[in-house]
Amino acid sequence: MKPVVLYVLDYYLPHRWGVETVFEQIISRTIASGKKVIILTSHFDPNLPTYEKHDDLEIYRVGKWRISFMFQALFKWAQILKNQQIDLIHTSTYWWAIPASLLAKLFGKKVLITVHEIFAQLWHQYKGWWKWWIYRMFEWLIFQLSFDAFHCVSLYTFNSLRLVYAIPDEKNHCIHNGVDLSFRDPNLVKIEEKNQISELFHLQWFWNLLYFGHTGISKGIDQLIIALPELLQTYPDLQFIFNFIPAKRGVKIRLQLQNLIDTLPSDQGSRIRLHFWLEKSELRALISQVDGVIAPSLSEGFWSVHSEVCQMQIPLITTRIASIPEVVSGKVVFIAPKSPESIIQGVKKLKNQNFDPVSPKVFDRTVQYSHIANLYQTLLNN
């Protein structure tokens, strides 16, 4: 009988952020290795079925939002564990870790948690004067629960777990996220794809910089917006393109940028381009043609923006904090975090082709999964 791995994830395909991409390739390889997979995830889109079955893959969807998913998952998961053979449970931070740990304990199953990032005292910077304490206590609670192994996506996260929550090394495993090396090969972007994107954004007329991804406060976008007026005034040929993934702060950031566009002189405001959720291949074509990407993060566990941009050999302006130094390589300009002035200086360095030396790095998905598979086997054998 095939081993069965149950994944408990707040979001899964067709929902696409960063974490879904990580688990998509893990799950596909798990099935290819001869295991059966069951996914318990949120029913974020009412048009999606509550249950799907495709050969060795089953998907159950319950609860619309994270909190409702957390509670409803307890009951649904109990039914699954009662009625089906489950050999291993794999979950992820944050909300969905609670039902995973409690039910694994109740039914005597091995449970692995993927830890993307530890914020600890950083919550104080990102949340209001009372909310930060709630988030801090919630994170603390997660790591008081019982897990058989911790998969950390970077050495930074590994050490954070070790130092902040005293997770013992024998349970702690650092396995970097992988990058789709073939898809991120700039030489494989088709000419017609480049032409379509170039026409859409008028790339040929400007010196183009790009920000893409989340709008969360930890991504440093607030400081970037502050720096924009001076950048647009200093560089008359600069066009700044934003491509956002829908997120909680997305509406706020969109309004903030639109208000900025409305207050700037027309020749400057017209050089800020807002776009939302480009298709994967379109975003790749855009990245391959811009002159640089800015990702002024304030904290990162392992963010795909940095690794994907470097894999595509495009210059990157970013900060030297958290996991970023262990992820980036190639043409990098390091700036100080939370500093509009440093962003402005970073753009100047990029314009002058003055990069900081960083040794080459490769994060291969096949290598990543081989380590994940070894971890699965160790847990199954025990």
Side-chain angles (χ1 to χ4, degrees):
M1 186 175 292
K2 292 182 176 182
V4 181
V5 181
L6 173 62
Y7 293 87
V8 184
L9 310 168
D10 68 331
Y11 292 118
Y12 193 63
L13 305 180
H15 195 281
R16 286 191 178 275
W17 283 6
V19 175
E20 292 88 333
T21 303
V22 171
F23 274 97
E24 175 188 13
Q25 54 93 18
I26 290 176
I27 288 169
S28 64
R29 284 169 169 79
T30 298
I31 294 172
S33 72
K35 296 180 179 63
K36 179 180 176 181
V37 165
I38 300 175
I39 301 172
L40 180 58
T41 188
S42 63
H43 197 199
F44 69 92
D45 183 348
N47 295 317
L48 293 171
T50 57
Y51 175 75
E52 287 184 63
K53 189 177 191 313
H54 310 279
D55 298 325
D56 287 328
L57 171 66
E58 294 183 48
I59 303 176
Y60 293 85
R61 297 185 178 93
V62 298
K64 186 174 182 180
W65 306 114
R66 284 171 170 168
I67 295 179
S68 65
F69 168 72
M70 181 177 67
F71 287 105
Q72 292 186 42
L74 283 167
F75 300 102
K76 190 64 182 181
W77 196 2
Q79 293 176 356
I80 295 172
L81 287 167
K82 283 181 180 179
N83 299 328
Q84 299 200 47
Q85 167 204 337
I86 302 294
D87 298 290
L88 177 66
I89 297 162
H90 190 167
T91 190
S92 171
T93 51
Y94 279 98
W95 292 94
W96 35 107
I98 293 177
S101 176
L102 294 178
L103 288 169
K105 192 76 172 175
L106 181 63
F107 286 88
K109 305 295 182 181
K110 294 291 183 179
V111 58
L112 163 68
I113 182 171
T114 293
V115 184
H116 302 285
E117 192 165 3
I118 296 297
F119 288 106
Q121 293 300 322
L122 290 174
W123 288 117
H124 193 274
Q125 297 183 33
Y126 302 151
K127 300 297 177 182
W129 67 273
W130 61 271
K131 281 187 178 181
W132 79 269
W133 185 86
I134 295 175
Y135 279 83
R136 178 73 176 89
M137 288 300 101
F138 181 73
E139 183 179 271
W140 175 87
L141 172 64
I142 295 295
F143 295 106
Q144 305 312 303
L145 298 173
S146 176
F147 297 98
D148 295 287
F150 297 80
H151 160 218
C152 300
V153 299
S154 65
L155 187 59
Y156 166 76
T157 307
F158 177 95
N159 284 323
S160 296
L161 267 187
R162 171 194 277 165
L163 297 173
V164 178
Y165 295 112
I167 301 300
D169 283 3
E170 58 268 22
K171 283 190 172 186
N172 216 356
H173 305 267
C174 177
I175 304 173
H176 289 94
N177 288 338
V179 176
D180 189 339
L181 301 181
S182 59
F183 184 79
R184 297 296 168 187
D185 185 343
N187 298 314
L188 297 182
V189 183
K190 297 177 181 178
I191 297 296
E192 54 266 30
E193 291 178 311
K194 291 184 177 182
N195 291 340
Q196 289 173 1
I197 287 295
S198 181
E199 183 177 349
L200 177 62
F201 290 100
H202 306 294
L203 299 179
Q204 66 273 27
W205 304 111
F206 299 102
W207 185 62
N208 299 283
L209 296 181
L210 170 67
Y211 175 101
F212 69 97
H214 288 290
T215 52
I217 194 169
S218 67
K219 303 306 175 186
I221 189 171
D222 300 80
Q223 291 73 38
L224 176 55
I225 293 173
I226 294 172
L228 272 179
E230 184 169 339
L231 288 173
L232 292 165
Q233 183 177 13
T234 304
Y235 304 102
D237 60 338
L238 170 62
Q239 177 176 240
F240 209 103
I241 303 168
F242 291 90
N243 180 64
F244 294 132
I245 296 173
K248 190 174 181 180
R249 295 181 78 232
V251 174
K252 175 185 175 182
I253 294 299
R254 179 179 182 177
L255 289 174
Q256 195 172 343
L257 279 167
Q258 192 59 58
N259 289 336
L260 175 61
I261 292 171
D262 293 340
T263 58
L264 287 172
S266 60
D267 67 307
Q268 295 178 21
S270 62
R271 289 185 279 123
I272 299 176
R273 301 291 298 272
L274 305 183
H275 209 94
F276 303 89
W277 215 338
L278 280 171
E279 289 297 325
K280 192 175 180 181
S281 59
E282 293 177 315
L283 180 57
R284 176 181 69 162
L286 176 59
I287 294 170
S288 71
Q289 294 182 91
V290 296
D291 297 282
V293 172
I294 298 186
S297 303
L298 309 182
S299 176
E300 291 293 350
F302 185 113
W303 187 230
S304 58
V305 167
H306 301 82
S307 56
E308 290 172 358
V309 169
C310 292
Q311 180 62 37
M312 294 190 70
Q313 302 167 32
I314 300 301
L316 174 68
I317 299 174
T318 190
T319 52
R320 200 194 300 264
I321 60 168
S323 69
I324 294 174
E326 64 179 291
V327 169
V328 300
S329 60
K331 297 178 179 179
V332 180
V333 174
F334 284 116
I335 59 173
K338 215 170 184 179
S339 171
E341 295 77 15
S342 188
I343 291 174
I344 293 166
Q345 291 303 311
V347 171
K348 181 179 179 181
K349 288 182 67 176
L350 188 147
K351 185 77 167 174
N352 294 331
Q353 298 287 295
N354 183 13
F355 302 109
D356 298 305
V358 184
S359 59
K361 300 180 183 72
V362 176
F363 299 98
D364 184 270
R365 285 184 170 179
T366 303
V367 173
Q368 177 204 9
Y369 185 73
S370 69
H371 293 302
I372 294 285
N374 289 337
L375 186 51
Y376 282 174
Q377 197 57 50
T378 298
L379 292 171
L380 289 170
N381 289 342
N382 290 335

